[in-house]
Amino acid sequence: MQSTPAADRKGMLRAAELAVFALGHTSPNPVVGCCLVYRPGQPDERLLAEGFHRRAGDLHAEAAALSALSPEDRLLLPHATAYVTLEPCAHHGKTPPCADALVSAGIGRVVYGTVDPDPRVSGNGLRLLEAAGVVVEAAAPELQDWCRWINRRFLVSVEQQRPYLVLKWAQTPEGGMDAARTVEHPGPFPVSSPEAQVVVHRWRSEEDAILVGARTWDLDRPQLNARLVSGRAPRRLVLGTPSTPLPSDVTCFAAPEDALTWCTKNGIRSVLVEGGASVLASFLQAGLWDELRVLTQDRPWTPSVWAPPLPDNAQCLNGPEQVKRGFSKRMGATECGVYLRRTDHT
């Protein structure tokens, strides 16, 4: 079946765009998008249908796209390509296998973004398609990297058997995170702008859990929710032993490794670590991080708590790349810098 690199790129980018519509809603499942294109790259190319996985238990992306087909367009599937950001599943879970659904529908070609590392899939979906005579191709390397990026939480949690770890903090230009707490000035001393605080709440809604230290809990009694945006609230975790009472839905841990073990056992795919400084330092020193988000804004108070130093293997995204990945460089008066590991797929 003929196509062109430009047509395949367009199809996969659209599938990826669909996938991220459900970011923060599908866990423990991945985010997946699919679009069905008739004769891609040819003069009569036409988008037949598209879909994405909306939440765990709902239709998978391939099934959603197939269900959106008209009866007339279903007859065109032998000459169509399914662009899907993740290998179609080959196992029975809450929904039937997507690879079987594509074969039964008569799809002629499948282009996938990345292999699903779930042991129940892990190439089985591709082999099932090929055995049925479907043409199966991997997306171009650049697009594979993009598909890994949008599904980084799921992929890291499956491949490394721990949640994807985002460390976030706000600091002044000289690196201050907090001022001295006194009876007259008990704090908290916010650093970031109101615009940045809304963005942080969106970030919270995209992760499965949020973690702070016992000192932060005792001093600030943070709500640790996503109240400034419409989205789900993450599970609330505390590192250490607070001296003030904890609600029943807050879970405590003695060490970062304990928290990660519990998260893995409970299907937590990602954790946003918000501080304080000693908690952030403990994760960094143990090499337990995947992504750093640093907010910077000038403040009139004198710092008494300092942000941890950046690791040697932290690579700052340049401006265009940061924006491409969905992070604004500036939120009101607050600047945002995003750092990734040099050795990770990014």
Side-chain angles (χ1 to χ4, degrees):
M1 181 180 294
Q2 291 185 337
S3 182
T4 64
D8 288 345
R9 174 182 172 81
K10 181 174 70 172
M12 187 57 71
L13 287 177
R14 176 54 183 167
E17 184 179 26
L18 292 167
V20 298
F21 284 160
L23 186 62
H25 298 283
T26 64
S27 186
N29 292 352
V31 293
V32 185
C34 175
C35 56
L36 307 173
V37 181
Y38 174 70
R39 289 173 52 84
Q42 305 308 309
D44 54 349
E45 170 187 326
R46 181 160 62 89
L47 175 66
L48 301 180
E50 59 187 22
F52 62 95
H53 181 47
R54 294 178 180 272
R55 59 185 59 83
D58 277 8
L59 290 176
H60 286 191
E62 301 92 327
L66 290 171
S67 69
L69 281 167
S70 69
E72 297 79 12
D73 285 346
R74 186 171 286 271
L75 300 176
L76 302 177
L77 287 180
H79 306 285
T81 294
Y83 296 97
V84 59
T85 54
L86 187 70
E87 173 189 2
C89 65
H91 64 286
H92 287 269
K94 294 182 179 179
T95 60
C98 292
D100 283 346
L102 290 169
V103 169
S104 298
I107 194 73
R109 176 173 177 255
V110 171
V111 177
Y112 65 94
T114 185
V115 172
D116 187 342
D118 186 322
R120 299 170 297 176
V121 187
S122 193
N124 290 327
L126 304 179
R127 287 187 285 270
L128 191 156
L129 291 166
E130 290 172 335
V134 178
V135 177
V136 178
E137 299 177 23
E142 171 199 358
L143 297 172
Q144 292 182 48
D145 288 345
W146 186 248
C147 288
R148 283 194 63 88
W149 168 256
I150 64 175
N151 248 332
R152 60 198 185 277
R153 299 163 177 85
F154 173 78
L155 295 173
V156 166
S157 66
V158 174
E159 293 168 351
Q160 300 189 29
Q161 291 297 293
R162 65 156 177 83
Y164 186 85
L165 298 171
V166 180
L167 275 57
K168 166 262 166 185
W169 67 86
Q171 63 178 36
T172 60
E174 65 271 32
M177 289 183 64
D178 199 2
R181 304 291 185 104
T182 65
V183 175
E184 294 80 10
H185 302 286
F189 297 91
V191 176
S192 54
S193 65
E195 295 90 343
Q197 291 168 20
V198 172
V199 173
V200 168
H201 279 233
R202 176 171 59 80
W203 291 349
R204 290 177 176 181
S205 74
E206 294 171 352
E207 312 304 339
D208 286 354
I210 182 171
L211 182 147
V212 298
R215 182 177 182 275
T216 297
W217 180 268
D218 287 337
L219 286 175
D220 298 338
R221 301 291 292 178
Q223 297 183 55
L224 304 180
N225 58 24
R227 62 192 177 276
L228 298 182
V229 298
S230 60
R232 62 168 186 169
R235 294 285 297 269
R236 300 189 294 174
L237 314 178
V238 171
L239 196 66
T241 305
S243 58
T244 54
L246 285 171
S248 59
D249 66 333
V250 177
T251 308
C252 279
F253 304 94
E257 293 79 4
D258 298 334
L260 301 190
T261 299
W262 181 88
C263 287
T264 301
K265 289 181 178 178
N266 286 274
I268 302 296
R269 297 292 191 193
S270 62
V271 179
L272 178 63
V273 181
E274 286 205 5
S278 61
V279 168
L280 292 163
S282 68
F283 275 83
L284 290 170
Q285 290 164 7
L288 296 173
W289 68 278
D290 297 290
E291 190 176 318
L292 309 178
R293 303 176 189 175
V294 182
L295 304 178
T296 303
Q297 182 172 337
D298 196 14
R299 286 297 181 185
W301 36 261
T302 300
S304 67
V305 177
W306 300 92
L310 293 170
D312 292 337
N313 61 340
Q315 181 173 3
C316 185
L317 296 179
N318 61 40
E321 185 66 20
Q322 180 169 315
V323 172
K324 174 187 172 183
R325 292 175 187 262
F327 301 102
S328 300
K329 287 290 293 180
R330 180 171 287 276
M331 309 157 188
T334 302
E335 295 182 358
C336 175
V338 178
Y339 301 79
L340 304 177
R341 283 179 178 269
R342 287 196 180 91
T343 55
D344 282 355
H345 290 85
T346 56

